[in-house]
Amino acid sequence: MAETPTKLAVQSTSAPQPREPERWAPFDMLRREVDRLFDDFLPSRRRTAPYSPMSWPTAAEWPLSPVVDVVEENGGFRITAELPGIDPKDIEVKVSDGLLTIRGEKTQEEKEEDADYYMCERRYGSFQRSFGLPDSVDADKTEASYANGVLTLTLPKSSKAKASQKTIEVKAA
């Protein structure tokens, strides 16, 4: 049997072009990893667009917790907590069963009146931080002072703990 020739339009194509190799983009990979970390840390965050201010959490989503420094000094410990804008009467410090607790509440109210409008904004927030105290602290002699938005707690060591301290000489080998 003989094949019947067909008249099909044939287009000549050149050989397929090799694909361009994917570029190495370390900053894109870094950005994706940072985004993933933020998504893990703040699951309620909804990213609307890259670098959008709407992609960051609102103040209500962040826990209110003061920044605290703890330093061991010769005679004991010093704890400083940043509490800006909080009235000293709204701060409570307690020592109970070897646990130091700093608790407080911030309330702020702003009112503005004009002939055409009335505006009133209120903000409330409370916090609590607790620290386990070592046995060497004399809790009865703990002192607290508050100035310029910084709470400073002084926790002296007991005389027994001070007497039992010993410096050990380091010898070169």
Side-chain angles (χ1 to χ4, degrees), residues 28-39:
D28 290 344
M29 291 186 305
L30 175 66
R31 178 164 173 242
R32 280 192 300 273
E33 186 65 18
V34 169
D35 284 345
R36 186 189 64 76
L37 288 170
F38 272 98
D39 288 340

Side-chain angles (χ1 to χ4, degrees), residues 37-93:
L37 288 170
F38 272 98
D39 288 340
D40 290 348
F41 181 66
L42 302 167
S44 64
R45 176 174 90 116
R46 302 286 181 251
R47 207 176 307 114
T48 55
Y51 308 113
S52 166
M54 297 302 292
S55 66
W56 298 103
T58 63
E61 293 175 315
W62 286 99
L64 181 63
S65 183
V67 177
V68 176
D69 291 326
V70 180
V71 178
E72 182 175 7
E73 299 174 324
N74 294 336
F77 298 91
R78 182 176 34 108
I79 298 175
T80 54
E82 295 178 14
L83 306 171
I86 298 180
D87 196 312
K89 68 179 172 47
D90 294 331
I91 301 170
E92 177 182 37
V93 179

Side-chain angles (χ1 to χ4, degrees), residues 3 21 28 31 35 40 61 65 70-71 74 77 84-85 91 97 103 105 107 110 112 117 128 137 154 158 165-166:
E3 292 185 24
D28 290 344
R31 178 164 173 242
D35 284 345
D40 290 348
E61 293 175 315
S65 183
V70 180
V71 178
N74 294 336
F77 298 91
I91 301 170
D97 296 327
R103 181 180 295 137
E105 185 173 352
T107 58
E110 294 177 29
E112 189 176 325
Y117 68 92
Q128 177 175 320
V137 170
T154 307
S158 65
Q165 288 181 345
K166 179 180 175 183

